Amino acid sequence: MSSTQIPLSTHDQLREAARDAWIYALPLIEIAMTRASRGGFGGEINTFGHMRDLADHKMRAVTTPNNDTLYTSAQIDLSAGPVTITVPAAGERYLSLALMDAYTNNFAILGTRTTGPDGGTFSLVGPNEAAEGANVVRSPTNHVWALARILVDGAPDLEAARAIQSGFSLQGPAIALAKTYARRSAPWNEYFASVDELMVANPPPATDLALLRKIAALGLGTGDFSPDRFSAEEAAAIEAGVAEARVAVRRGGGGANWIDGWFYPRADLGNFGQSYAYRAGVALAGLAALPPVEAMYMRGRGERGGIYDGHKPWRLHFPADQLPAVNSFWSLSLYEATADGQFFFADNPIGRYSIGDRTAGLTYNEDGSLDIWIGHEPPGGERDANWLPAPPAPFALFMRAYLPKLAMLDGSYRLPPVTALAVE
């Protein structure tokens, strides 16, 4: 972007610019916060870190984690040169390494679906780097989040999954620890100062030019953002725009798409293009979501806005011929809902955070159908084998379908609804 400041127009236009800019930049802020964290998804740059156990209620590093795969993560900085990534052979086990740019788009996925079961070595280069040799992957931004998922088929399989996990390696220039930037809760001046730096380090694509021209009055992406240049009235307009953005992003940017009690992902999930509001909503509630061709995430409708009452009992019934249509695996995860629109696993007496086709002891009905019982109280008797515990509080349900079949991708297969049960 040019460093030439565009004269301010009306306060209404400035408010709209602030609203749109806050939403546009939220993924930058969320992924930068993850990069600077000292947990399993952040820390040292250009180094893989491994989470050796499945996520549980104590894991709060990223919203809506799964309880199906081990995570391996690397925060990569390509500004000093390319890096070399080795992906291990996984055989028939599901494995993926998602490469996300600074705006949370999955620009490449390496693993089972794309590169096959035998792994390989790949050269990851930045947007302006000369590319040579084989297996070159180019990133649109210098900052990259590489996030691997390695399937675990129950507790007895954990050590074997860890052995494959250890096969990930990364070689590249030594880079200082990531800088800490403002969080989404920061005042507008601090938030946009961080956005300015992040946009300089990771220039937006040319295809965002229409939006960038609309927000140009703020001076973002120039490297010389200065909140002091705004009058008190202009600052108030910016603050009002940011307040609107905070409300809008909590409502989500995808619009209503409830079908038979489930919210289905849009086709542009994980590669958002110019769907900035949708991208922001996913960054808040489902950071690092994969695109549908790799995994589909469906959220249960609940009683209000995707939220269920944990005091009530619920049932999900699959007829024998209507189990999720996948080429890999499926699972239903339950999360407690936070006030700011994020989701984390809830502590429960049996340590079960998800249930699916690999759950040990899962029982099917005589006709081959499957019932999953959901609620705070155990359903009792044989039903306990298929119990997904809920907290005595609001919760959300997310269905994951890895490597979905065409029937799920094109909508000819739909999940059955979750229904409330009468309290006896």
Side-chain angles (χ1 to χ4, degrees):
M1 294 177 63
S2 170
S3 60
T4 303
Q5 299 295 330
I6 296 177
L8 298 180
S9 52
T10 69
H11 290 164
D12 282 345
Q13 289 174 320
L14 191 57
R15 174 182 53 77
E16 292 177 4
R19 179 197 63 208
D20 293 347
W22 195 94
I23 290 172
Y24 177 82
L26 183 62
L28 275 172
I29 291 292
E30 292 298 303
I31 211 168
M33 181 181 70
T34 302
R35 184 167 59 250
S37 70
R38 299 297 177 254
F41 296 109
E44 294 187 27
I45 305 300
N46 290 355
T47 302
F48 272 122
H50 306 297
M51 297 182 67
R52 297 295 194 177
D53 295 297
L54 295 174
D56 60 16
H57 64 282
K58 298 177 182 177
M59 206 282 273
R60 302 266 161 157
V62 65
T63 184
T64 54
N66 79 55
N67 183 245
D68 308 297
T69 71
L70 296 178
Y71 286 111
T72 284
S73 177
Q75 299 293 342
I76 299 170
D77 189 335
L78 298 171
S79 60
V83 303
T84 300
I85 295 175
T86 298
V87 177
E92 296 183 0
R93 181 188 305 271
Y94 174 82
L95 177 149
S96 65
L97 178 67
L99 300 175
M100 291 167 281
D101 66 21
Y103 297 86
T104 69
N105 293 296
N106 290 264
F107 62 88
I109 297 175
L110 311 176
T112 301
R113 179 181 60 86
T114 57
T115 55
D118 299 326
T121 299
F122 304 86
S123 180
L124 180 61
V125 303
N128 302 312
E129 190 78 25
E132 298 180 355
N135 296 342
V136 173
V137 181
R138 182 176 297 282
S139 170
T141 59
N142 282 318
H143 290 164
V144 176
W145 183 8
L147 182 60
R149 297 166 171 90
I150 306 101
L151 179 64
V152 179
D153 192 9
D157 185 48
L158 186 56
E159 289 303 321
R162 287 171 174 166
I164 292 175
Q165 184 183 35
S166 296
F168 280 95
S169 67
L170 190 155
Q171 294 79 42
I175 301 288
L177 287 176
K179 179 180 176 180
T180 299
Y181 292 94
R183 293 174 175 254
R184 64 177 176 275
S185 58
W188 69 269
N189 55 323
E190 297 176 15
Y191 181 92
F192 284 135
S194 288
V195 168
D196 182 43
E197 290 187 41
L198 288 166
M199 288 175 66
V200 169
N202 302 281
T207 47
D208 288 351
L209 189 56
L211 184 281
L212 297 174
R213 285 171 171 162
K214 188 175 180 181
I215 67 173
L218 296 169
L220 300 175
T222 65
D224 58 0
F225 172 76
S226 177
D228 294 338
R229 76 181 185 87
F230 298 104
S231 68
E233 292 79 9
E234 290 166 343
I238 294 173
E239 191 167 6
V242 168
E244 289 181 10
R246 293 184 196 278
V247 172
V249 79
R250 284 197 297 270
R251 292 174 178 167
N257 189 29
W258 300 106
I259 301 174
D260 294 337
W262 292 92
F263 182 89
Y264 285 82
R266 288 171 30 166
D268 54 356
L269 175 66
N271 276 311
F272 299 96
Q274 284 63 57
S275 298
Y276 309 123
Y278 182 48
R279 186 177 71 181
V282 172
L284 178 65
L287 186 65
L290 292 165
V293 69
E294 190 72 24
M296 286 185 66
Y297 310 92
M298 285 69 67
R299 180 177 176 181
R301 185 168 193 171
E303 297 170 290
R304 51 180 179 81
I307 299 297
Y308 295 82
D309 183 349
H311 293 93
K312 297 180 180 180
W314 304 83
R315 181 179 76 150
L316 175 58
H317 175 75
F318 290 103
D321 59 348
Q322 292 185 33
L323 291 170
V326 296
N327 286 313
S328 188
F329 68 96
W330 65 267
S331 70
L332 178 69
S333 297
L334 188 151
Y335 302 94
E336 58 183 349
T338 67
D340 62 351
Q342 296 198 303
F343 303 98
F344 302 101
F345 290 129
D347 193 11
N348 66 82
I350 63 172
R352 178 178 285 173
Y353 308 100
S354 66
I355 192 168
D357 57 2
R358 295 159 299 107
T359 299
L362 197 69
T363 62
Y364 292 77
N365 302 317
E366 290 185 3
D367 63 356
S369 63
L370 176 66
D371 288 307
I372 295 176
W373 309 96
I374 306 157
H376 181 58
E377 298 295 333
E382 296 181 354
R383 293 180 176 182
D384 285 355
N386 294 7
W387 177 38
L388 184 58
F395 70 88
L397 291 172
F398 285 80
M399 174 67 75
R400 287 177 168 84
Y402 279 78
L403 303 188
K405 293 182 178 179
L406 181 60
M408 183 169 279
L409 287 167
D410 69 13
S412 56
Y413 170 86
R414 296 297 186 187
L415 295 168
V418 176
T419 57
L421 299 176
V423 179
E424 298 179 357

